[in-house]
Amino acid sequence: MEVKQKIDSLVKMFLLSNVVLKDEEDFKNKLSTIVTDGVDNLQFVADFDDTLTKHTVNGKKTFNSFEIFCKTKTLSQSFLDRGTELFVNMKPLLNKHDLTKEEQQQVDDVLEKIIALIVGEKVNIEDVYECVDQVNTPLKDGCRETLSLLASHRVPIIIVSAGSGDVINYLVRGYGARVVANFYIFDEGRITAYVRPWVGLYNKNQRALPVDDDRHNIVLLGDHTWDSKMADNVPNVKTILKVGFFYGNDEMKMRRYLEHYDVLLLNDESTDKINDMFSWGFAYPEPLVVVEEGYSLPPENCCALIAGANDIGTGESLKSLSTWSSRSPSAPAQRKVPYRHNLITDHPVNKQTTLVKYYINELCARCKESVLMEDRDSKMA
């Protein structure tokens, strides 16, 4: 009864604000199922650009993650000219409603050509991070609270984007997000390849997502009608609640969006409504306790550092480490794991991990880079 009353109250509040429900009763049933089944049965699948990031800032359209990448200062003018030419030729299709399958494939083919053009350019990953820091494309208001809440309860969030995975990873570092997007391989100051399979605007539903197979409820977030299909191939789904961010005031377009989403958030530059839907159903955990001296992770587990606050207590912290943590009193100098260490997406998630001090020389190369970046950020702060 308490869940029903809270959901009824939530719906009444929504109907007085910038929220449109496709079917009120269906929404209530889905949300009730998700809350009742609990956080251990939940995962999020989200688009990134204009979904987790702001659509506009001070009335101006923000840059998407790939556009941010393309502003990296070391990219050549020849790439910028050719990439701009390809994009301009593709733009009429992007502004068209209800593309045919052939037109969708054409858009994705052009996008891959632009992605491939960057291979061979002289770029360091540090140049990309510097560019991200300088471009004003912030996460939505309340988004960091959303990500923190999900991380603290170990609710997986899988970000699926046709944008730049390197930019996205940097912007959401520290929250354990699993990013399925377009990544580059950097080698000695040059981009040598892009990672395949790549992600387009219209092939997201063809990508194998790093979901947890034992979680059967999904909250999906997107801002494009095709985003609503991102989790179509996830097996054994019990309930999926699709939440769409809609920008503008085109009523015909909004009706088309409602064919794909259960909920539309209209011109919303925050994730406050997402927090309203779910935060009351989460029991807030105790603060994290970092295990103190002398424990290190084997390299195969170093990327599995994800917040496990419910498992951690002052006297019980070491129990979850007993099967895979090792004592290394003679190892090199230690670094402390930052609270919100980034989860590298191509490593498995160990659900029993907690935060420890570890020896940086024992980590894989990508985690070393992530830790050094976090250490730099903390010193700058």
Side-chain angles (χ1 to χ4, degrees):
M1 179 61 74
E2 183 181 0
V3 170
K4 183 180 184 304
Q5 289 176 341
K6 286 187 175 181
I7 291 177
D8 286 343
S9 176
L10 182 71
V11 168
K12 288 179 181 179
M13 180 183 70
F14 278 0
L15 295 179
L16 295 174
S17 60
N18 57 334
V19 178
V20 178
L21 304 178
K22 178 166 62 177
D23 184 317
E24 183 177 325
E25 287 305 313
D26 185 58
F27 169 76
K28 289 179 179 179
N29 291 335
K30 287 184 176 182
L31 184 56
S32 177
T33 297
I34 289 172
V35 172
T36 302
D37 288 353
V39 294
D40 292 337
N41 200 31
L42 177 63
Q43 50 197 331
F44 275 58
V45 176
D47 173 57
F48 185 73
D49 297 306
D50 293 331
T51 297
L52 298 184
T53 62
K54 289 191 174 183
H55 180 67
T56 59
V57 173
N58 297 326
K60 295 183 179 180
K61 179 69 180 74
T62 57
F63 296 108
N64 64 45
S65 56
F66 191 73
E67 289 172 330
I68 294 173
F69 190 102
C70 290
K71 290 186 174 296
T72 302
K73 63 184 179 182
T74 55
L75 288 172
S76 70
Q77 190 61 46
S78 61
F79 157 73
L80 295 175
D81 292 342
R82 180 60 179 147
T84 300
E85 178 185 356
L86 287 170
F87 177 77
V88 169
N89 291 335
M90 177 180 67
K91 195 170 183 179
L93 287 177
L94 292 177
N95 295 329
K96 183 179 176 182
H97 300 307
D98 301 324
L99 272 65
T100 65
K101 288 185 178 180
E102 291 75 17
E103 289 171 330
Q104 292 173 1
Q105 186 61 55
Q106 185 179 345
V107 168
D108 279 351
D109 287 346
V110 174
L111 178 58
E112 186 176 18
K113 287 180 182 178
I114 297 174
I115 291 171
L117 276 178
I118 299 181
V119 175
E121 292 284 320
K122 293 181 179 180
V123 180
N124 285 306
I125 190 64
E126 291 80 9
D127 298 325
V128 177
Y129 298 153
E130 180 182 349
C131 178
V132 178
D133 288 335
Q134 294 173 351
V135 176
N136 186 24
T137 297
L139 297 178
K140 287 186 182 298
D141 296 333
C143 185
R144 293 197 180 278
E145 288 75 8
T146 305
L147 295 173
S148 181
L149 182 67
L150 296 177
S152 67
H153 289 276
R154 286 183 285 168
V155 175
I157 179 166
I158 300 96
I159 296 175
V160 189
S161 173
S164 166
D166 300 295
V167 170
I168 295 169
N169 252 349
Y170 184 80
L171 284 170
V172 300
R173 65 194 184 279
Y175 297 105
R178 309 171 192 180
V179 179
V180 179
N182 295 306
F183 289 88
Y184 287 106
I185 296 174
F186 298 81
D187 186 19
E188 296 183 353
R190 190 178 293 273
I191 293 175
T192 58
Y194 64 96
V195 177
R196 293 178 175 87
W198 71 286
V199 184
L201 292 173
Y202 295 100
N203 70 358
K204 292 181 180 181
N205 61 330
Q206 301 172 26
R207 300 280 76 85
L209 303 184
V211 296
D212 283 9
D213 293 336
D214 58 347
R215 293 173 180 259
H216 306 301
N217 294 330
I218 292 176
V219 174
L220 182 145
L221 309 177
D223 73 289
H224 188 285
T225 55
W226 202 258
D227 290 337
S228 66
K229 302 177 183 291
M230 290 186 295
D232 280 3
N233 291 332
V234 175
N236 303 317
V237 174
K238 177 182 177 182
T239 302
I240 180 167
L241 180 65
K242 298 183 179 182
V243 182
F245 287 88
F246 181 85
Y247 305 101
N249 52 16
D250 186 332
E251 188 172 344
M252 291 291 292
K253 183 179 178 181
M254 185 176 70
R255 289 177 181 176
R256 285 194 296 270
Y257 268 61
L258 279 175
E259 295 174 4
H260 299 272
Y261 290 99
D262 301 299
V263 189
L264 287 184
L265 309 181
L266 308 182
N267 299 307
D268 198 338
E269 298 289 10
S270 77
T271 61
D272 292 345
K273 298 298 188 302
I274 308 298
N275 297 341
D276 289 341
M277 287 184 210
F278 301 102
S279 60
W280 59 271
F282 291 3
Y284 283 84
E286 295 298 320
L288 290 173
V289 177
V290 177
V291 176
E292 286 302 327
E293 294 298 332
Y295 283 86
S296 62
L297 295 177
E300 65 270 18
N301 286 319
C302 66
C303 289
L305 298 169
I306 189 169
N310 286 339
D311 294 346
I312 304 175
T314 307
E316 302 296 322
S317 302
L318 299 183
K319 289 186 178 179
S320 61
L321 298 172
S322 59
T323 58
W324 49 268
S325 184
S326 58
R327 185 80 175 176
S328 304
S330 59
Q334 300 179 17
R335 286 181 180 270
K336 189 175 182 180
V337 175
Y339 168 1
R340 291 168 174 167
H341 183 68
N342 188 39
L343 172 68
I344 303 300
T345 58
D346 54 3
H347 286 261
V349 177
N350 183 332
K351 293 183 180 179
Q352 299 303 313
T353 56
T354 185
L355 301 180
V356 298
K357 286 187 175 182
Y358 58 91
Y359 302 105
I360 194 167
N361 287 347
E362 296 181 5
L363 300 186
C364 73
R366 293 184 69 182
C367 266
K368 286 182 186 179
E369 178 185 343
S370 177
V371 171
L372 290 171
M373 183 172 68
E374 296 250 10
D375 187 51
R376 183 203 70 178
D377 289 347
S378 64
K379 288 178 180 178
M380 289 177 63

